[in-house]
Amino acid sequence: MSENAGVPLRVVSYNIHSQRDDTAALAAVVREAAPDVVIVQEAPRRFRWRQKSATLAESFGLVVAAGGLPSLGNLLLTSLRVRVLDTRCQRYPLTPGRHLRGAAYAECRVGGARFLLAGSHLATDPAERPTQAAAFKRELAAADLPVVAGADLNEGPDGSAWATVGEGLTDAAVAADRADRHTYSCADPRRRIDAVFVDPRITVVDYDVVDTPQTRRASDHFPVLVDLLLPATG
């Protein structure tokens, strides 16, 4: 395929449950998917987080691009096919007594395409989510580059935070006509709370929620796997 037709990018967005499940299965799931980028929620964010993040990336056959403690456990990983040009992290306002959360961002180049990779994990508390969603959305909306954003929104597509984040972006599951695929929980799949949103200039080629015996051992969320075509920017 020529770059004029778009630059392919394979994306996984994955809440890995703080690696509390079968870590060998987790590594095998990601390696089998062979992604260019992985947007991780519940990655290492405490003691020795740099070493733990690097070890996680190595287990996937990838490298760390951005995130970890500065983004409160959101981690962006890339293959060597992807060049990382700039990174930053964001922390959302803290509600006293609640869990501090944030987001990670990486400006990347692959082939002739540049894009902004972003990841976040919104609160379980419905009172906190709208403010966090708005903070995440401000960063996405301000981007000059086409956005590829993965998130555990902790609510379904009928929620206000979901609508905030997704405004003006393409919900990859909807684009692929697979919005009926639930991402949580692996033990009792009943909700779609994990999403990948992309710039309308990006083509969604394929979308899957990977439900296998291995993914059911690897985490309490299923991984979201998306194949994209990015617009070439030269």
Side-chain angles (χ1 to χ4, degrees), residues 156-168:
D158 58 344
S160 63
W162 185 296
T164 295
V165 175
E167 183 181 1

Side-chain angles (χ1 to χ4, degrees), residues 22-34 59-60 214-215 217-218:
D22 186 332
T23 55
L26 177 67
V29 165
V30 175
R31 282 181 175 269
E32 184 173 344
S59 77
F60 292 167
Q214 204 165 44
T215 60
R217 296 197 306 273

Side-chain angles (χ1 to χ4, degrees), residues 33-111:
D36 296 302
V37 298
V38 180
I39 303 164
V40 182
Q41 300 90 40
E42 293 197 25
R45 56 175 280 172
R46 293 186 175 88
F47 181 64
R48 294 172 58 234
W49 65 271
R50 288 185 181 87
Q51 180 180 339
K52 291 176 180 177
S53 295
T55 299
L56 176 68
E58 184 179 19
S59 77
F60 292 167
L62 303 171
V63 297
V64 173
L69 176 62
S71 64
L72 293 315
N74 297 286
L75 190 64
L76 305 178
L77 309 176
T78 67
S79 73
L80 297 181
R81 178 173 176 255
V82 178
R83 180 183 175 194
V84 178
L85 305 174
D86 194 19
T87 66
R88 63 186 183 277
C89 293
Q90 176 183 22
R91 293 189 173 192
Y92 301 140
L94 175 64
T95 301
R98 298 293 302 172
H99 194 59
L100 189 60
R101 297 181 184 269
Y105 305 89
E107 295 183 13
C108 302
R109 176 184 288 276
V110 58

